[in-house]
Amino acid sequence: MPDIVSSAAPHPAREAAVATAPGWWVVCLCAEWCGVCREYRAVFDALRAAHPETRFEWVDVEDEEGLAGDLDVETFPTVLIADGAQARFLGPLLPQAGVLARLLSGLQGSGPATPVDAEAQGVFERVLRVRGAPAA
């Protein structure tokens, strides 16, 4: 599935998110029962250590199904990347560190955000509400 992009108009919650979530977020949507996810967790954690300026969050879509909402995650891992205000990418990735690192770098260097699908933005806003406090 390619990244989800549409012509969604600016959303008031995005403006509030700017103040509460500065910086980039990478959210991995996985499931504990998934062997690929279990293997990818170490890769994800290594990327977290390599990119301390970016917020990395792991969401088990079954244990925290409220965060995924109505999003039907069909392929694991599925990753959401947001610039702190709005979702910039939502889609499955090959479970390789280089793939995520290149995608993150490309999005960070791409300039102003392209409006995204409302579903992707909704997932980010729910994650932001629940996980918005600074990581420990």
Side-chain angles (χ1 to χ4, degrees):
M1 169 171 76
D3 59 323
I4 301 173
V5 178
S6 74
S7 59
H11 189 279
R14 290 184 191 141
E15 301 306 317
V18 171
T20 60
W24 287 81
W25 287 59
V26 178
V27 180
C28 186
L29 303 167
C30 274
E32 179 59 33
W33 57 260
C34 172
V36 171
C37 293
R38 287 193 306 270
E39 291 175 16
Y40 190 60
R41 183 69 187 256
V43 171
F44 191 79
D45 290 343
L47 284 167
R48 173 186 289 135
H51 297 274
E53 73 287 354
T54 302
R55 178 80 177 259
F56 283 76
E57 292 290 332
W58 187 268
V59 173
D60 186 308
V61 297
E62 292 186 344
D63 289 345
E64 298 178 273
E65 64 185 74
L67 294 181
D70 291 335
L71 178 68
D72 187 16
V73 179
E74 296 177 2
T75 304
F76 295 109
T78 290
V79 173
L80 169 73
I81 299 176
D83 64 9
Q86 65 186 69
R88 301 281 297 270
F89 173 87
L90 174 64
L93 290 182
L94 288 173
Q96 301 168 355
V99 173
L100 178 53
R102 284 189 300 276
L103 176 60
L104 179 59
S105 176
L107 288 170
Q108 289 172 330
S110 68
T114 301
V116 296
D117 179 88
E119 186 172 44
Q121 184 64 28
V123 172
F124 177 60
E125 290 172 6
R126 285 188 296 277
V127 169
L128 185 57
R129 277 194 303 274
V130 172
R131 307 265 181 100

